[in-house]
Amino acid sequence: DYSPKAIKTLFDGVKITCKMDLSFDDDGKVKNSAINYAESLSISGAQEKYPAILDEGKIRIAKDGERSMYILKPAPLDRIYLRKQIPANEHLTMQIASQVYGIDTAQNGLCFTTDNHPVYITKRFDIMPDGSKLPMEDFASLIGRTDKTNGDEYKYEGSYDEIAKAIVKYIPASKIALEKFLRPAVFNYIFANGDAHRKNFSAI
């Protein structure tokens, strides 16, 4: 089960079981037909993700129309080597970023499917305690790059200097924001994160 710290920070003091009543297939799709309604909900990114809520001491996928407070990421497609370990690796890396390097990260943990496979769970930082949603814009949009204007690789081509200039342009407290941007950028380099592209940096 979860540590006292995880219960406090990840689940706001609510005691939650780490076991879920669902499992995923080799494509990261929900197996249980009873909750396939969540397939229609869209969260950006290449990897399968599902909106989730807490319900009577358990984590479950949010129904259409419910305000999700969490995001679930099961293991990705079966063509990836050691793919079942990827959720645990992401959780470990995030804990190193937070606990060792002092980077402000989204609260995160692991939960487990009915067949005991780990699933990464992260608390949404764009949802306020009252359920209202903070507006966010990724830096590909802020810089003005799309697949239509710059081709399929639009989010990967370019440099972090472009993001830094956009921070100065759009964020009033830019000096503070630049430091918050630089720390994870350096961490991503140290830990060989090859997916830290423009769309994975956003402004609230």
Side-chain angles (χ1 to χ4, degrees):
D1 284 337
Y2 295 106
S3 68
K5 181 180 178 181
I7 292 170
K8 180 180 178 181
T9 59
L10 184 57
F11 301 118
D12 299 318
V14 178
K15 191 168 184 181
I16 298 292
T17 177
C18 61
K19 295 284 187 177
M20 297 184 295
D21 294 331
L22 63 106
S23 59
F24 300 91
D25 65 18
D26 285 344
D27 290 332
K29 304 280 188 184
V30 177
K31 278 185 178 179
N32 311 49
S33 59
I35 49 176
N36 276 342
Y37 49 71
E39 300 279 352
S40 62
L41 301 178
S42 175
I43 301 174
S44 65
Q47 186 177 341
E48 287 289 334
K49 303 179 186 73
Y50 296 91
I53 64 169
L54 308 181
D55 186 4
E56 297 184 352
K58 291 187 175 183
I59 301 162
R60 70 164 172 84
I61 292 178
K63 298 176 183 177
D64 197 5
E66 287 183 319
R67 172 68 81 198
S68 63
M69 299 297 291
Y70 298 87
I71 295 172
L72 296 176
K73 292 174 68 177
L77 297 175
D78 60 355
R79 65 177 178 267
I80 300 174
Y81 180 60
L82 295 177
R83 70 181 192 87
K84 293 292 186 182
Q85 298 181 24
I86 288 176
N89 180 67
E90 183 166 359
H91 172 55
L92 173 62
T93 306
M94 289 288 280
Q95 292 303 313
I96 293 171
S98 173
Q99 296 186 42
V100 179
Y101 287 84
I103 294 171
D104 186 19
T105 66
Q107 296 299 323
N108 60 94
L110 291 175
C111 47
F112 296 86
T113 63
T114 52
D115 44 1
N116 286 321
H117 292 302
V119 176
Y120 181 77
I121 180 170
T122 184
K123 190 175 183 180
R124 293 183 60 170
F125 51 80
D126 61 334
I127 304 296
M128 301 298 287
D130 63 2
S132 59
K133 188 176 186 301
L134 295 172
M136 292 181 64
E137 196 74 66
D138 67 66
F139 277 92
S141 298
L142 287 172
I143 294 168
R145 288 177 175 261
T146 67
D147 54 349
K148 291 182 175 60
T149 60
N150 298 92
D152 292 341
E153 299 296 311
Y154 73 98
K155 61 186 178 182
Y156 298 107
E157 294 175 349
S159 69
Y160 282 162
D161 185 53
E162 291 177 309
I163 295 178
K165 287 176 180 175
I167 288 172
V168 172
K169 181 177 180 180
Y170 292 110
I171 299 179
S174 59
K175 289 185 178 180
I176 297 171
L178 282 169
E179 183 177 347
K180 287 192 74 173
F181 164 64
L182 182 63
R183 289 175 66 85
V186 172
F187 178 84
N188 286 329
Y189 175 77
I190 294 170
F191 277 77
N193 178 7
D195 200 40
H197 54 71
R198 289 187 188 89
K199 287 187 72 65
N200 279 340
F201 288 95
S202 297
I204 296 176

